[in-house]
Amino acid sequence: MTSSDKKDEKKNSKDGTRVFKKMCLDGKISTYIGTREFVDHVGHIDPVAAVLLIHEMDWFAENKEYKVYAEITATFRYGRDDLDVLGINFKKDLYTDAMQVYPVKGVASCTTKIQEKLLKKLGSERAFPFTFDLPAGIPSSVTLQPVKNDTSSKPCGVEYCLKTYVAKDMHEPPDRKQVVDLLIKKITHAPDTQAPQPYIESAKNFMMSPNPLHVEARLDKERYIHGEPIYVHITMGNQSTRAVKKLRLSVKQVANICLFSNAIYKCTVASVEHDLNVQPSQTIAQTFSIRPLLEDNRDKRGLALDGQIKSEDTNLASSTIALPIANREALGIVVKYIVKIELFVSMGGELKLELPFTLSHPIPEHYEEDMEPPPQPTDANAENINVELDESGAYNNTLLSTQADHDDPLIDLEAAPVPDTSSAATAGSTSGEAPQPSLL
């Protein structure tokens, strides 16, 4: 591909904005959302901003006792669905919030550019924006890795769901045909400022040895991005009478399950060994590398992963970075990582050290564009919005062109405004499953 082709591809990728849309089974309402991934920046959390589209305004005018509500829930699932018997569910709600979306109470305002653009495309008469401001201290989306190829049940872990439904009262169980369920996930981005380099030093005396083995270890930085190699700098001063024969480096994931009683699970996600020959009275300084990847741990059941939407690919769970709170149960699953260093010496001795670090995601490039408050409506903001009728459940908020190569159908709202649809045109989509691909 030439440089000019790359420039054209980059230009075309900004021709439209990709959003997600899902309709309830009877076709009364639809929910549009710009991204299914919401970022915790430690100091604040991205708002969950969506737009409700009502297809049958006449039905609501005739049945004024019915309203449309929105609800967001964080659930900790700690058991399989097929174990739910006698009305006992193996899950616990860690956070929930709800609001009335239609009829509008007060003035409905947009908090993101995508909401502003959607209202211009869908029409303010039938489209109503709503936003949830998430508080600090709520858990991140974490999935515990199930047995390989096990698709019979939802995996255990913390998941978020955005639900819009039609009902007479907010607390009334809605008809399943009038519910839209959208799985979303919350992830954490570590701050840009780097913490001090993890550092540790230790000395160990051995029997019949007048002087100790002295070891210093440090990491090149404190925060790492998923897939990035970790460099460990080790300095050894061997004043003992024993030789250092082998070094083992390992990265361990420590998951603290904060439910009812704390349970801590440790899992090795990467391990390497190096042969050494550090003789008495010898000093060395050497750098070793190790890279923790999910691809090397697909067969480890119970490993903590970043939250998944349907069958999308993911990565190892990011380190939990949360403000101190009194109720640790509200954190769900707390994940941290350590680099463990083991030195094996002759005649059976060993020395162990541990260095903690943070594993996280980079700040997304599209954050400032998609999440900042919208400007005043102008004709210049009328950009193309490609609405993807999500089938796979994969999340993506990248900019796509209408001519881009893809399998899922897109709708260019600039060229094809969303028409009013009847319930007969939407049969075949279930509220509990991913939306079926079809063009409005």
Side-chain angles (χ1 to χ4, degrees):
M1 182 180 292
T2 63
S3 59
S4 60
D5 293 337
K6 292 181 179 179
K7 291 181 180 179
D8 293 340
E9 182 180 355
K10 184 176 181 182
K11 180 180 179 180
N12 290 336
S13 67
K14 295 185 178 181
D15 289 344
T17 302
R18 187 182 184 184
V19 300
F20 295 88
K21 176 255 187 181
K22 189 175 181 182
M23 182 184 292
C24 67
L25 183 60
D26 67 358
K28 286 185 174 59
I29 60 173
S30 294
T31 302
Y32 291 76
I33 192 167
T35 176
R36 300 173 77 172
E37 182 178 287
F38 299 90
V39 180
D40 186 347
H41 301 270
V42 183
H44 68 282
I45 303 177
D46 292 345
V48 180
V51 172
L52 167 71
L53 177 64
I54 297 181
H55 298 279
E56 301 183 7
M57 293 295 294
D58 294 340
W59 186 89
F60 282 94
E62 296 173 359
N63 301 271
K64 295 184 178 180
E65 68 274 15
Y66 285 93
K67 302 176 177 64
V68 182
Y69 301 95
E71 179 182 83
I72 185 171
T73 305
T75 303
F76 189 177
R77 184 182 300 275
Y78 54 92
R80 295 170 56 93
D81 291 338
D82 53 11
L83 297 178
D84 295 351
V85 294
L86 300 177
I88 301 176
N89 295 324
F90 291 91
K91 59 184 179 180
K92 179 181 179 181
D93 290 341
L94 302 178
Y95 171 79
T96 183
D97 191 12
M99 67 171 64
Q100 178 178 314
V101 182
Y102 178 81
V104 179
K105 290 185 175 180
V107 179
S109 59
C110 298
T111 58
T112 65
K113 284 185 176 181
I114 291 181
Q115 283 182 319
E116 185 74 22
K117 296 173 185 177
L118 280 170
L119 256 65
K120 292 177 71 68
K121 308 300 177 181
L122 302 177
S124 58
E125 298 81 9
R126 298 187 296 127
F128 305 91
F130 62 95
T131 303
F132 286 100
D133 294 317
L134 303 179
I138 60 176
S140 295
S141 298
V142 178
T143 299
L144 299 182
Q145 183 166 252
V147 178
K148 191 175 182 179
N149 298 326
D150 180 14
T151 58
S152 59
S153 178
K154 289 185 178 180
C156 297
V158 179
E159 64 179 14
Y160 282 80
C161 181
L162 176 64
K163 180 171 73 173
T164 51
Y165 58 96
V166 179
K168 295 181 179 179
D169 184 78
M170 182 181 296
H171 306 289
E172 173 186 333
D175 185 345
R176 292 302 301 172
K177 294 182 179 181
Q178 299 176 345
V179 176
V180 176
D181 286 328
L182 272 173
L183 291 179
I184 60 177
K185 70 176 184 178
K186 171 184 168 289
I187 62 175
T188 301
H189 288 323
D192 289 333
T193 56
Q194 283 282 355
Q197 290 177 286
Y199 172 85
I200 190 173
E201 61 177 319
S202 180
K204 184 169 183 177
N205 292 290
F206 301 99
M207 186 178 296
M208 307 298 294
S209 179
N211 296 314
L213 168 65
H214 185 268
V215 180
E216 296 180 7
R218 63 181 174 86
L219 304 182
D220 58 326
K221 56 184 179 180
E222 193 274 337
R223 180 172 69 93
Y224 293 89
I225 304 302
H226 288 284
E228 194 175 10
I230 300 171
Y231 294 99
V232 185
H233 308 279
I234 298 178
T235 302
M236 279 184 282
N238 188 8
Q239 303 300 320
S240 68
T241 57
R242 302 189 183 187
V244 181
K245 295 296 185 180
K246 186 171 66 173
L247 166 70
R248 179 187 295 158
L249 278 181
S250 60
V251 176
K252 293 188 176 293
Q253 181 192 86
V254 182
N256 188 351
I257 312 297
C258 304
L259 183 68
F260 307 127
S261 61
N262 289 343
I264 298 178
Y265 298 92
K266 296 182 180 181
C267 183
T268 301
V269 295
S271 181
V272 294
E273 293 186 359
H274 298 274
D275 293 328
L276 300 177
N277 188 19
V278 184
Q279 297 297 324
S281 301
Q282 187 179 359
T283 299
I284 69 165
Q286 197 168 348
T287 300
F288 304 90
S289 67
I290 188 170
R291 189 196 303 262
L293 295 172
L294 176 58
E295 286 72 15
D296 303 327
N297 299 274
R298 295 287 186 182
D299 58 340
K300 295 181 180 179
R301 181 182 181 184
L303 183 66
L305 313 176
D306 271 341
Q308 293 176 278
I309 299 178
K310 299 299 180 181
S311 58
E312 69 174 9
D313 198 13
T314 183
N315 45 253
L316 297 173
S318 301
S319 300
T320 301
I321 307 173
L323 301 175
I325 60 174
N327 184 15
R328 284 184 59 83
E329 285 190 13
L331 293 177
I333 302 177
V334 178
V335 179
K336 64 179 182 179
Y337 291 90
I338 58 173
V339 172
K340 187 174 183 179
I341 305 168
E342 298 174 90
L343 295 171
F344 299 92
V345 302
S346 59
M347 301 176 64
E350 62 181 87
L351 175 62
K352 298 180 180 180
L353 306 95
E354 292 184 350
L355 292 167
F357 68 95
T358 300
L359 188 62
S360 183
H361 294 274
I363 300 296
E365 296 180 357
H366 57 74
Y367 170 73
E368 292 184 358
E369 178 180 351
D370 294 332
M371 301 311 299
E372 64 179 355
Q376 295 298 323
T378 61
D379 294 338
N381 294 328
E383 302 176 11
N384 295 342
I385 298 182
N386 297 329
V387 180
E388 177 173 354
L389 305 184
D390 178 36
E391 179 181 22
S392 63
Y395 65 94
N396 195 335
N397 198 37
T398 57
L399 298 179
L400 299 177
S401 67
T402 56
Q403 294 81 19
D405 294 332
H406 48 72
D407 296 330
D408 299 327
L410 302 177
I411 299 176
D412 184 356
L413 295 182
E414 181 73 19
V418 175
D420 215 353
T421 58
S422 63
S423 59
T426 60
S429 174
T430 58
S431 60
E433 302 175 354
Q436 300 298 320
S438 59
L439 291 178
L440 295 178

